[in-house]
Amino acid sequence: MSWQALDAVQAEARTLVAAAAPDAATAAEGEAYVSRVMTAALGPALLGHLLAEDGLARPLPCHGGPNPDYVMRHAGIDPTRRYRLEGQINGSERVGVGLYSIGPNGAPLEVGYTVFTPESCGTDGGFRLDIAADAAGPGSLAIPTNARILLIRILHRDPLIDPARLRLAGGPAPSGLALASGSHDGALAFVARTLGNNVREYLKWTAAAVERRNRLDSAPPELAATVQGDPDTLYFLGSFDMTGDEWLEVTMPQLLSGYWSLHAYNHWFEHLQTQGVHDRNVIADPDGRIRIAVGPARPEGALNWINTMGRAKGSLICRIIGEGSCPTACTRDSGG
């Protein structure tokens, strides 16, 4: 594939995004979105050697509603090889290790999963996982024949303590200045597939969020199946679309005992790089209820606020690990 062919794929993606934009400002941000998705694909395709350490690669999460509470790592998996993952959990709360096949739209589909927490690690915080087709018993993860990716999500929210340290052994030796698919043309073809698949897939998510205007709800099952990275996590999505002095008030369900978070994104599900609200930083009302204001300005008296960085339109994702129900949401204005 040539650069000209990749440019044709980018032009198609720009056309699709422009057609889905509700206004000129969102369309302009969509142009940048397409460029960032392509740039994020160019990184591992051409500069993968700079994004790899200890057998694992660091992705560039810029689309698809990435969780800013997670540190992500991944590696390609060959079901005929034997791997060992060793780690030190340090100041992280949880390390989710998953094996994934590749769905028809390029999305990863979970085919094996295990979790490490400080309680399940050794007294020194260390852990080890043997990964192979015939692996069985505690401390192991069997590789199905259709597994192609090892994806690790590290839940880490304390900036003053190091996150979990990981090392994967058993993969092929580093090959220096390697290109995805082994050639320049193959690398560009990888970028084109990644760009086209991701834009088409997440436009479906954008449409689903718009349908959930100023509210949160479960994702359509046919979409949720393609992004259910952690089998023990509940995902709720929606959008905010406000005018004048309006803001969105989200009320979390009660009796949540573990991790949960609410994060804001732009229309294209790019994280706004603004602080979300979660179980560690939330302030409950005197009656015990948890209310979160979402909007470009903080309403008077709001104990919890997600700054949408000047945007009156955008997307929301709520994640709950364990049991929970959908948050409720409604618009309010300065008059109450």
Side-chain angles (χ1 to χ4, degrees):
M1 171 173 284
S2 65
W3 283 104
Q4 290 77 12
L6 175 58
D7 188 58
V9 174
Q10 184 193 36
E12 179 186 3
R14 291 172 59 197
T15 299
L16 292 172
V17 165
D23 53 47
T26 307
E29 198 162 41
E31 284 280 303
Y33 161 65
V34 171
S35 295
R36 280 191 285 261
V37 174
M38 186 173 73
T39 301
L42 283 166
L46 301 174
L47 300 172
H49 57 287
L50 300 180
L51 299 173
E53 182 179 13
D54 292 331
L56 294 164
R58 175 171 58 90
L60 300 173
C62 71
H63 61 279
N67 187 346
D69 297 333
Y70 283 164
V71 178
M72 306 288 290
R73 295 292 182 267
H74 67 88
I77 286 291
D78 180 348
T80 67
R81 301 181 75 105
R82 307 185 70 87
Y83 302 86
R84 173 167 290 177
L85 179 69
E86 296 181 310
Q88 198 76 24
I89 201 161
N90 296 328
S92 297
E93 302 166 56
R94 157 190 175 104
V95 177
V97 183
L99 292 169
Y100 298 83
S101 64
I102 303 299
N105 60 352
L109 303 176
E110 183 260 314
V111 293
Y113 191 81
T114 192
V115 174
F116 294 98
T117 64
E119 294 75 21
S120 65
C121 294
T123 55
D124 62 350
F127 60 90
R128 187 178 74 185
L129 184 67
D130 290 318
I131 308 170
D134 59 354
S140 65
L141 187 62
I143 307 177
T145 56
N146 60 343
R148 296 294 179 268
I149 299 173
L150 177 74
L151 186 57
I152 301 172
R153 293 172 172 85
I154 303 169
L155 177 58
H156 188 84
R157 292 180 285 181
D158 190 339
L160 301 180
I161 305 178
D162 289 338
R165 179 75 178 181
L166 305 172
R167 181 178 184 274
L168 181 69
S175 52
L177 298 173
L179 298 168
S181 302
S183 69
H184 181 261
D185 287 349
L188 293 186
F190 167 84
V191 176
R193 287 193 303 271
T194 301
L195 173 60
N197 286 341
N198 279 312
V199 167
R200 284 190 293 270
E201 179 64 22
Y202 286 105
L203 281 179
K204 300 175 188 176
W205 284 86
T206 296
V210 169
E211 291 175 355
R212 291 153 175 78
R213 179 177 180 268
N214 292 329
R215 64 185 180 93
L216 287 150
D217 201 351
S218 299
E222 66 275 13
L223 297 185
T226 67
V227 295
Q228 185 71 37
D230 297 309
D232 52 0
T233 301
L234 302 174
Y235 297 89
F236 303 99
L237 76 152
S239 66
F240 55 93
D241 183 1
M242 299 166 288
T243 59
D245 295 329
E246 284 184 334
W247 48 279
L248 191 69
E249 182 179 82
V250 177
T251 303
M252 295 297 299
Q254 295 185 320
L255 304 178
L256 296 176
S257 59
Y259 169 82
W260 62 265
S261 65
L262 181 69
H263 289 288
Y265 304 81
N266 68 9
H267 183 79
W268 311 109
F269 277 103
E270 295 179 288
H271 185 247
L272 293 182
Q273 304 299 301
T274 186
Q275 179 68 54
V277 176
H278 50 68
D279 57 288
R280 282 197 168 188
N281 66 9
V282 71
I283 301 174
D285 287 349
D287 62 6
R289 287 197 292 178
I290 294 172
R291 298 180 179 88
I292 304 167
V294 179
R298 184 168 194 152
E300 183 177 354
L303 298 179
N304 307 289
W305 173 50
I306 297 180
N307 183 356
T308 60
M309 310 300 288
R311 292 170 178 80
K313 288 185 175 69
S315 302
L316 295 168
I317 298 179
C318 175
R319 298 170 174 89
I320 300 173
I321 292 181
E323 295 185 0
S325 57
C326 183
T328 60
C330 63
T331 56
R332 300 193 182 279
D333 58 36
S334 56

